[in-house]
Amino acid sequence: MLITQVSGQRQKVLTSLIPLGALVGIILFGSFVIYPYYLVWLTKDGSEGKVIRCDMERAWRSHIISGGTFFDHARTRTKEVSRSGKYSSKLASGNVQYGVGHKMAAVPGQRYLASVWVKASVMKNNVYLVASSVEDAENFHVRSNKLTDQEKGGWRKLVLDFSLPDALDWEELQIFISTEGHADAYFDDFEIKLLSKDDKVEEKEPQAFQAPRLEIKLSAKQYAKLDDKRKQAFRDGVLLSDEDSWAKGKLLVGGEELPIKTRLKGDWLDHLRGDKWSFRVKVKGAYAWDGLKTFSLHNPSARYFLWEWMIHKLFEREDVLTTTYDFAELTFNGKSLGIYAYEEHFEKQLVESRKRREGPIVRFSEDALWKYRARAIQAIGYFKKDFVHPSSYPKQAEIKAFKEGKTAGSENLSKQFEIAQTLMYQMQQGEAPASEIFDLKRLARFFAISDMMGAWHGLVWHNIRYYYNPVISKLEPIGYDNFNDKPRKPLILGKMPKLDHTPVYADPSRLLFLDEAFMEAYVEELLRLSSEEYLEEFVQEIRPGLKQRLLFLQKEYPKFNMSVIEILERSKLVKAAIMPYQEYSVKVEWLENTDKGKLLKLRNLHLMPLWIMGYASGDREDDEEILQEPLMLLPAPNSRDTLYKLLELPEDTHRVLYRLPGIDSVFSAQVPTWRLSTDKTPFQYLFERRGLKSNAMYEVEIPGKLVRFRKGKHTVKSRIVIPSGYKVVFDPGVQLDFMGASFFISRGAVEINGTEEEPVVFRSLDHKARGFTVLQSPEKSTVRHAVFEGFNTLDIDGWKLTGAVTFYESDVDISNSIFRDNVCEDGLNVIRSKVLFEKSKIYNTFADGFDLDFCQGTIRSSYFEDTGNDGVDASGSQIDLQQCSFRGCGDKAVSVGENSQVEIGYASIEGAVIGVASKDLSTLRIRDISLRDCNQGFAAYQKKPEFGPSRIIVDNYKAEEVRYLYTIAPGSKLRLMGKLIGEEEDLQ
């Protein structure tokens, strides 16, 4: 009964699941069969067979469905940015990637035009459209990175135009997007058109540029005047103009004949070579041409063709004063001279046409500069920058007005010029802040535009012209003469403030870059003007006129070419230079501790000014504190440490926070772990120049540079410092008792001439004296019958040695001497020297008795007793040890390490922890040795990982009361009286 009930319940469950399964089946069938075909139907646009489009908007599984067609790589869809709709396709930076594509039947002889809109910070050699055979990519594979149209937001059109061969042995074609991975790239509105062979891709051709045609006519006499002036310029090397340089003539333009006077124009001879001279033209009387009373005509190459025209358009767009600038065709006395650039000169029409009231236009006179340049050329045949006179320095330049006669004849203009002159002088000498001299916003725009466009020539002190605005009583710059060659890379700040600020020959403009208000305005303008969005708008405005003038110029200058992309790339150049380098842009130095914490010195190593915003005790945002008043830090110069700020911050400050003006991002610079000492080092302090004078302790023999210590007992309460070049002699019977922290140090050889009856004694009864040291003596020292007793070691403000007696790079012979009761790491330490140590004793030392580092030498007939550590410790040395005795060594009697080569002829060792040890690639060869009352006799091992195992070779030995005769680590070896202990190897 129970079984029947259970079965019935199961039957009910199964019956109830049938509708649910049917529902799931319907859903699956709809999702995988009906829904994709619904999307195909939904996206059809009636262009089947002619145009295939993908708008990235609808996807099903791994496919994008658009225009009734399936496209691959739906995984790349993103909402981050789009040209149309909500989606685009993103290929991230990193490696070569393949994106949205479409496969279709390959039609022999068919022509295709594929296009896609792309946005990326790097497009050149990064984004491509590709077409290839599905079955045989090696047989057919084409790609293109040709960019054509451009839209706001940085979108560019990428196109691929190709045809298939008439004969194919493969069946399927694929067209897709790819990147080289240099930067993130977004793609939208992918399109494939099927064209006939005769179809032409539509390209909009600009209308031809309607250049004005000008003709200058001069009589033979007036022409001769210009020709003579030109010849004189070639003799002088430069063109020097005056009022006698003008010639009278006529200007024919548009059927009119205007009375003019003209002269040659330009400073250097490039304006006068061949037939294409440069001219300054003044239209006389009540006449004007195209609103211009005075203008210049010069070769377009002198201002680098279209770049000068473009920067004038940018100045105009930003309401920065500039001259009218464009191109014309010029005929001179019936002869066509081809294409010229014309430029407005500095008359009242310049400012009035730009909605300013008439006011003086002023400049720094360059007359003295060019006269001295001419003299240099006459003297040596060429111009040399250091062939100058102080009167030609910019700080000495005279301040002049254009149209001086008119200005002087007008009471109003005269008074305005006096004010303008005062402002110019304040700028020239750096006597007032920029905000009191200039219309600061327009000045910042002028410099930012010049910098962003790489137009540094227009920023040279004698090229800038200024307009005195009588309404606000300040100066405005006038953009003029901006290029003399290809545009330079930004930033002008890379040169301006890195130079010395104050010499008399400094460009006055450099002083602006020390002005905080100007720098803040300048950086904000530079960021705004160099943004991609701004430059794209500017390019769209000038594109038609730019294309027209390019085609016009190429008639005479076919090699010149340019693209608007060159302008847009200026944005990338500015960004690359302007962004700080985190901790590398601000240098933080910890000068000293204060009652409040740390006194820090901050210097700006970046090309741009920076705001110091705050500080942080750790690496989290919670650790950050903001200053009540931020500090502006101007770029520091290379040659002087004149631009810095001192800031007192809490002791636990770990980072200094800063930002770039105009950018919200906050960067940080690490506070150093160690305080910077600006004092002299202990070595410098000890050996600073000071004369040695004879005293009761020693006599100084000046001619021979000899210091001779007098016989007898002397108390030493301070340091004895012997500079290089002197030799020190201790006669028999000299005794020096060192008190407190006194010490002896010499950079010359010492000669200690004690005898058995009258030894030379050096001792520190209070054990506080800081050693006896000889450093880098060029001559060998000798030590005979000397006693060194009770010394500590040299220790001065972090300069610390290890030996009571130290010889560094100073060869020395030591004989019949005693080193005892010394309380430092080494009783005797010889470093990088040749040494002879014989018939001497070292005993009762705190640690090692005799420490040799990187030495060559001999130790013989000597005695070592009661050393706290090793009796003899040799590192990186080659030593011959003969007939020596060791007793009561706290560690090893003889220790050799770090690739040392030591040979023991005979040694007697008693009461050592280890008799002899060889470690770290060292070899110890023992002819004969006696061991007694030792814990270990022989030890060979590797201690430091950068070295290797070691070896010991013993020809003869005697051992009594030795607990362990040897300890040999794996890899190291001992050959004991012919018996090998360790791995097989020839140890001879």
Side-chain angles (χ1 to χ4, degrees):
M1 185 68 179
L2 181 61
I3 296 175
T4 304
Q5 289 176 349
V6 170
S7 297
Q9 290 174 359
R10 182 179 300 171
Q11 182 72 27
K12 291 178 181 179
V13 170
L14 291 174
T15 302
S16 65
L17 288 177
I18 291 174
L20 179 61
L23 178 61
V24 170
I26 292 170
I27 292 172
L28 292 174
F29 180 80
S31 298
F32 289 90
V33 179
I34 297 176
Y35 181 71
Y37 284 97
Y38 166 75
L39 289 180
V40 169
W41 170 81
L42 182 65
T43 61
K44 284 187 177 182
D45 57 10
S47 61
E48 296 92 293
K50 294 181 181 180
V51 181
I52 301 169
R53 296 188 178 93
C54 178
D55 59 9
M56 313 295 177
E57 296 303 304
R58 293 178 175 83
W60 177 77
R61 302 186 70 184
S62 64
H63 297 287
I64 297 173
I65 301 178
S66 178
T69 305
F70 285 72
F71 295 82
D72 297 323
H73 295 292
R75 60 177 177 77
T76 65
R77 290 168 77 238
T78 180
K79 284 186 175 181
E80 292 178 11
V81 65
S82 65
R83 176 179 176 265
S84 64
K86 296 181 179 180
Y87 291 89
S88 68
S89 169
K90 176 182 179 180
L91 296 184
S93 62
N95 300 312
V96 175
Q97 294 199 46
Y98 302 101
V100 174
H102 177 65
K103 295 178 182 178
M104 65 188 77
V107 180
Q110 176 64 54
R111 183 182 170 199
Y112 302 83
L113 177 63
S115 65
V116 67
W117 288 88
V118 57
K119 181 175 183 176
S121 59
V122 178
M123 293 196 189
K124 187 176 181 181
N125 300 325
N126 182 43
V127 295
Y128 293 89
L129 270 173
V130 184
S132 72
S133 165
V134 174
E135 301 94 333
D136 187 8
E138 291 185 2
N139 187 32
F140 183 81
H141 183 92
V142 294
R143 71 175 188 170
S144 169
N145 64 349
K146 181 180 178 182
L147 297 165
T148 57
D149 297 347
Q150 179 166 327
E151 291 183 349
K152 290 185 179 181
W155 290 94
R156 302 291 307 280
K157 194 173 187 179
L158 177 65
V159 297
L160 170 64
D161 186 351
F162 69 98
S163 298
L164 295 182
D166 291 330
L168 298 177
D169 56 359
W170 44 276
E171 296 180 354
E172 197 170 17
L173 171 71
Q174 58 182 347
I175 302 174
F176 57 92
I177 298 160
S178 76
T179 74
E180 294 293 329
H182 300 315
D184 291 349
Y186 300 88
F187 301 85
D188 204 354
D189 299 319
F190 184 24
E191 186 176 274
I192 303 170
K193 290 182 179 180
L194 279 63
L195 307 176
S196 69
K197 293 182 179 180
D198 298 328
D199 283 344
K200 293 183 178 180
V201 178
E202 182 180 353
E203 292 188 7
K204 297 179 181 179
E205 292 293 336
Q207 296 180 354
F209 176 56
Q210 301 299 316
R213 296 184 177 183
L214 309 177
E215 182 175 358
I216 295 175
K217 282 190 173 183
L218 301 180
S219 67
K221 180 179 178 181
Q222 296 298 314
Y223 173 83
K225 193 173 184 180
L226 294 190
D227 192 42
D228 289 344
K229 193 64 180 177
R230 177 174 176 270
K231 292 173 181 176
Q232 182 64 45
F234 277 95
R235 289 193 293 270
D236 294 340
V238 296
L239 175 65
L240 300 175
S241 298
D242 53 32
E243 283 301 317
D244 293 332
S245 302
W246 294 92
K248 296 178 181 179
K250 295 179 180 179
L251 177 68
L252 279 65
V253 55
E256 284 189 274
E257 187 176 278
L258 306 176
I260 63 167
K261 62 177 182 177
T262 185
R263 66 168 175 84
L264 298 177
K265 172 245 175 192
D267 302 309
W268 295 114
L269 301 181
D270 59 324
H271 284 274
L272 306 176
R273 299 192 187 280
D275 295 330
K276 208 166 178 107
W277 307 347
S278 295
F279 302 95
R280 174 73 42 76
V281 178
K282 286 187 177 182
V283 183
K284 298 171 67 177
Y287 298 96
W289 170 66
D290 200 22
L292 306 180
K293 287 291 293 181
T294 307
F295 59 94
S296 299
L297 292 160
H298 55 255
N299 191 322
S301 65
R303 302 281 181 83
Y304 204 61
F305 303 103
L306 280 172
W307 282 88
E308 185 77 20
W309 178 83
M310 283 191 300
I311 197 171
H312 279 255
K313 293 301 177 187
L314 194 49
F315 284 138
E316 291 173 5
R317 191 177 202 263
E318 287 298 319
D319 195 28
V320 174
L321 284 173
T322 189
T323 55
T324 299
Y325 192 93
D326 217 324
F327 303 99
E329 293 183 273
L330 179 63
T331 300
F332 183 63
N333 274 1
K335 181 177 180 180
S336 174
L337 300 184
I339 297 174
Y340 268 66
Y342 66 87
E343 181 170 30
E344 180 179 11
H345 198 52
F346 302 100
E347 305 264 6
K348 73 169 186 173
Q349 289 80 12
L350 187 156
V351 296
E352 289 179 342
S353 66
R354 286 160 179 80
K355 300 179 181 179
R356 266 65 157 196
R357 286 187 182 178
E358 181 182 4
I361 296 176
V362 293
R363 64 187 174 93
F364 292 117
S365 174
E366 55 190 303
D367 294 349
L369 176 71
W370 288 107
K371 285 178 180 177
Y372 277 102
R373 288 181 174 181
R375 180 176 291 184
I377 295 170
Q378 292 167 5
I380 58 178
Y382 59 94
F383 166 61
K384 196 175 182 181
K385 287 188 177 181
D386 56 1
F387 194 99
V388 293
H389 188 273
S391 64
S392 65
Y393 292 163
K395 278 188 176 287
Q396 311 302 338
E398 185 179 358
I399 299 165
K400 286 192 171 185
F402 289 91
K403 307 293 288 185
E404 285 185 324
K406 178 182 177 183
T407 302
S410 166
E411 181 181 356
N412 191 35
L413 289 176
S414 292
K415 289 181 178 179
Q416 290 175 2
F417 173 71
E418 289 176 3
I419 299 173
Q421 186 180 45
T422 300
L423 296 173
M424 291 283 283
Y425 183 81
Q426 290 173 349
M427 169 191 157
Q428 185 183 40
Q429 307 301 326
E431 293 185 353
S435 59
E436 294 181 8
I437 301 172
F438 298 99
D439 181 330
L440 197 62
K441 182 176 288 187
R442 286 187 171 82
L443 183 72
R445 287 179 187 171
F446 167 73
F447 272 87
I449 290 171
S450 300
D451 193 355
M452 188 266 294
M453 294 290 283
W456 295 7
H457 186 256
L459 302 180
V460 178
W461 67 271
H462 55 80
N463 287 340
I464 307 181
R465 278 66 173 124
Y466 299 94
Y467 156 69
Y468 172 71
N469 187 326
V471 178
I472 59 174
S473 192
K474 291 181 179 180
L475 300 176
E476 290 186 39
I478 302 174
Y480 157 80
D481 198 5
N482 300 280
F483 293 95
N484 66 338
D485 204 343
K486 294 180 180 179
R488 300 192 189 187
K489 292 182 180 179
L491 296 161
I492 187 68
L493 283 172
K495 284 196 171 185
M496 282 283 193
K498 294 292 182 181
L499 306 175
D500 288 343
H501 314 136
T502 56
V504 294
Y505 53 84
D507 189 325
S509 296
R510 289 193 181 122
L511 298 176
L512 293 172
F513 291 85
L514 307 178
D515 186 292
E516 292 187 1
F518 167 76
M519 289 300 285
E520 184 174 15
Y522 163 78
V523 174
E524 290 179 357
E525 289 297 321
L526 184 61
L527 288 169
R528 180 180 68 85
L529 295 166
S530 64
S531 69
E532 291 181 15
E533 293 76 14
Y534 181 89
L535 289 179
E536 285 169 1
E537 289 180 6
F538 173 63
V539 165
Q540 290 299 324
E541 289 177 9
I542 67 168
R543 185 192 294 273
L546 183 70
K547 188 68 177 289
Q548 290 174 347
R549 285 162 178 80
L550 176 61
L551 295 175
F552 175 67
L553 288 172
Q554 285 176 337
K555 293 192 299 182
E556 185 172 339
Y557 304 96
K559 292 184 178 180
F560 174 74
N561 197 10
M562 72 163 299
S563 167
V564 292
I565 294 175
E566 294 180 57
I567 309 170
L568 299 173
E569 286 180 346
R570 306 302 295 181
S571 173
K572 298 174 186 177
L573 291 172
V574 171
K575 284 182 179 178
I578 205 171
M579 295 304 293
Y581 291 87
Q582 203 64 290
E583 68 270 23
Y584 302 111
S585 290
V586 172
K587 184 175 182 62
V588 182
E589 295 174 339
W590 173 15
L591 295 184
E592 59 184 61
N593 294 318
T594 67
D595 294 339
K596 295 182 180 179
K598 297 176 180 177
L599 181 64
L600 303 180
K601 179 181 179 181
L602 309 179
R603 296 179 73 230
N604 179 0
L605 303 185
H606 194 45
L607 298 176
M608 307 294 289
L610 300 170
W611 280 111
I612 303 301
M613 304 301 297
Y615 56 94
S617 58
D619 295 324
R620 301 179 308 171
E621 288 188 11
D622 295 344
D623 302 324
E624 297 177 356
E625 297 288 340
I626 303 302
L627 296 176
Q628 288 185 352
E629 293 186 9
L631 298 175
M632 174 165 277
L633 203 57
L634 296 174
N638 284 333
S639 53
R640 295 187 188 180
D641 190 14
T642 54
L643 285 176
Y644 62 85
K645 293 282 178 73
L646 297 178
L647 190 60
E648 197 173 16
L649 293 177
E651 184 179 355
D652 62 351
T653 298
H654 178 58
R655 293 178 293 132
V656 174
L657 309 177
Y658 68 92
R659 69 173 179 84
L660 189 73
I663 292 181
D664 293 333
S665 300
V666 177
F667 303 85
S668 67
Q670 297 291 118
V671 175
T673 305
W674 289 278
R675 183 176 63 85
L676 174 69
S677 174
T678 57
D679 300 329
K680 292 181 179 179
T681 67
F683 184 94
Q684 292 168 341
Y685 176 72
L686 286 178
F687 289 101
E688 63 183 354
R689 291 182 178 272
R690 61 179 68 187
L692 289 176
K693 295 181 180 180
S694 298
N695 54 40
M697 191 183 308
Y698 56 77
E699 180 182 358
V700 180
E701 300 176 12
I702 300 298
K705 283 205 164 185
L706 186 69
V707 180
R708 185 179 296 276
F709 279 77
R710 305 180 194 276
K711 184 177 180 178
K713 184 176 180 180
H714 307 280
T715 300
V716 182
K717 295 183 179 180
S718 60
R719 62 182 182 268
I720 300 173
V721 180
I722 311 298
S724 60
Y726 286 86
K727 183 177 182 180
V728 187
V729 176
F730 296 88
D731 289 333
V734 173
Q735 180 175 327
L736 301 182
D737 289 342
F738 289 82
M739 304 294 291
S742 59
F743 56 87
F744 173 91
I745 186 168
S746 175
R747 297 192 68 192
V750 297
E751 185 179 305
I752 302 176
N753 297 319
T755 65
E756 187 173 355
E757 295 77 17
E758 293 185 295
V760 176
V761 179
F762 306 90
R763 66 183 180 182
S764 172
L765 297 179
D766 60 6
H767 299 292
K768 294 180 179 179
R770 296 183 178 182
F772 184 98
T773 305
V774 179
L775 298 175
Q776 294 180 311
S777 169
E779 298 178 1
K780 182 190 289 187
S781 296
T782 58
V783 179
R784 301 186 185 92
H785 291 283
V787 178
F788 298 89
E789 179 181 359
F791 279 95
N792 208 306
T793 190
L794 187 71
D795 187 356
I796 309 172
D797 294 333
W799 183 24
K800 186 173 183 179
L801 304 182
T802 60
V805 179
T806 302
F807 288 86
Y808 174 77
E809 290 186 351
S810 302
D811 297 345
V812 61
D813 288 352
I814 302 172
S815 62
N816 300 291
S817 296
I818 296 173
F819 302 78
R820 67 189 176 206
D821 301 330
N822 293 302
V823 292
C824 53
E825 188 173 332
D826 304 318
L828 172 63
N829 187 199
V830 181
I831 310 166
R832 294 174 62 87
S833 306
K834 294 180 180 179
V835 60
L836 171 63
F837 187 86
E838 62 179 352
K839 299 178 183 178
S840 297
K841 298 179 181 180
I842 297 179
Y843 60 91
N844 193 27
T845 62
F846 175 74
D848 291 346
F850 189 1
D851 195 330
L852 302 103
D853 298 308
F854 316 108
C855 292
Q856 295 178 351
T858 300
I859 303 172
R860 62 179 175 228
S861 303
S862 294
Y863 183 74
F864 304 84
E865 182 177 0
D866 292 336
T867 58
N869 202 47
D870 301 335
V872 172
D873 184 1
S875 300
S877 299
Q878 299 177 17
I879 303 297
D880 184 18
L881 189 148
Q882 303 288 340
Q883 302 298 319
C884 292
S885 297
F886 300 83
R887 183 174 180 179
C889 297
D891 192 1
K892 301 173 279 293
V894 178
S895 174
V896 302
E898 297 173 356
N899 200 22
S900 290
Q901 308 293 317
V902 175
E903 183 167 325
I904 298 178
Y906 175 75
S908 172
I909 299 173
E910 181 178 352
V913 176
I914 299 174
V916 295
S918 177
K919 56 186 183 294
D920 297 328
L921 276 179
S922 296
T923 298
L924 175 60
R925 187 175 189 105
I926 303 172
R927 300 298 181 187
D928 195 8
I929 192 169
S930 173
L931 300 167
R932 187 172 185 276
D933 190 21
C934 298
N935 188 56
Q936 297 180 46
F938 308 102
Y941 54 93
Q942 178 181 345
K943 183 178 179 181
K944 298 180 178 180
E946 64 268 30
F947 290 94
S950 300
R951 58 185 186 174
I952 303 175
I953 304 168
V954 182
D955 293 344
N956 189 42
Y957 77 97
K958 191 183 291 184
E960 296 181 25
E961 300 181 36
V962 176
R963 186 175 182 185
Y964 302 105
L965 182 59
Y966 55 78
T967 301
I968 310 300
S972 295
K973 300 160 182 73
L974 166 66
R975 185 177 290 278
L976 194 61
M977 296 178 62
K979 181 181 178 183
L980 178 65
I981 294 142
E983 298 177 7
E984 284 293 338
E985 183 182 318
D986 183 5
L987 297 182
Q988 298 301 320

